[in-house]
Amino acid sequence: MSEREPNLDVDVEIRDDRTAVLTVEGELDMETAGRLEDLLTEQFGQGRRRLVLDLSALGFMDSSGLNVLIRAVNRARETGGDLYLAAPTPAVRRILEITGVTTMTPPHDGVADALAAAGGAR
């Protein structure tokens, strides 16, 4: 049985002192969720409280990834910020809907819409 290489790429774009866009591409699962959580923690540690996750290239997400998102929403809100989801793929959107995450943090059509909701940082 061969080992599979973790398939997750995350690009972080700093928009301002309080806002960052993280573009998440690939698969967010048990093997890769820790990497995204580390990057989110790093952004919180640098004082960024408005985080946009661009999910337009995320093909798969399991419960591990879902837990990372939920913890990030809670952490952001505890510190006066929020987590904004942008353009989830149909498969990811379905998981977000089934689990009720979309009622906690409704997804936006794209990054520009999410940034507008975050307070106008473009």
Side-chain angles (χ1 to χ4, degrees), residues 4 15 24 27 29 32 38 41 43-44 46 48 58-59 72 80 100:
R4 180 174 74 82
R15 291 299 183 113
V24 185
E27 299 176 0
D29 58 22
T32 61
D38 290 347
T41 298
Q43 293 307 308
F44 288 128
Q46 293 179 7
R48 292 187 190 84
L58 184 63

Side-chain angles (χ1 to χ4, degrees), residues 15-16 19 50 84 112-122:
R15 291 299 183 113
D16 61 38
T19 310
R50 297 180 301 220
Y84 303 86
D113 292 336
L115 286 169
R122 292 192 186 268

Side-chain angles (χ1 to χ4, degrees), residues 53-95:
L53 292 184
D54 178 357
L55 305 177
S56 62
L58 184 63
F60 175 81
M61 179 173 63
D62 71 6
S63 61
S64 300
L66 194 63
N67 285 326
V68 169
L69 297 186
I70 292 168
R71 282 193 298 272
V73 167
N74 291 334
R75 183 164 182 192
R77 290 180 179 171
E78 286 170 0
T79 59
D82 213 341
L83 185 76
Y84 303 86
L85 306 178
T89 58
V92 171
R93 180 182 287 270
R94 181 79 175 123
I95 292 167

Side-chain angles (χ1 to χ4, degrees), residues 13-24:
E13 180 184 347
I14 308 306
R15 291 299 183 113
D16 61 38
D17 290 344
R18 294 187 41 89
T19 310
V21 176
L22 288 81
T23 302
V24 185

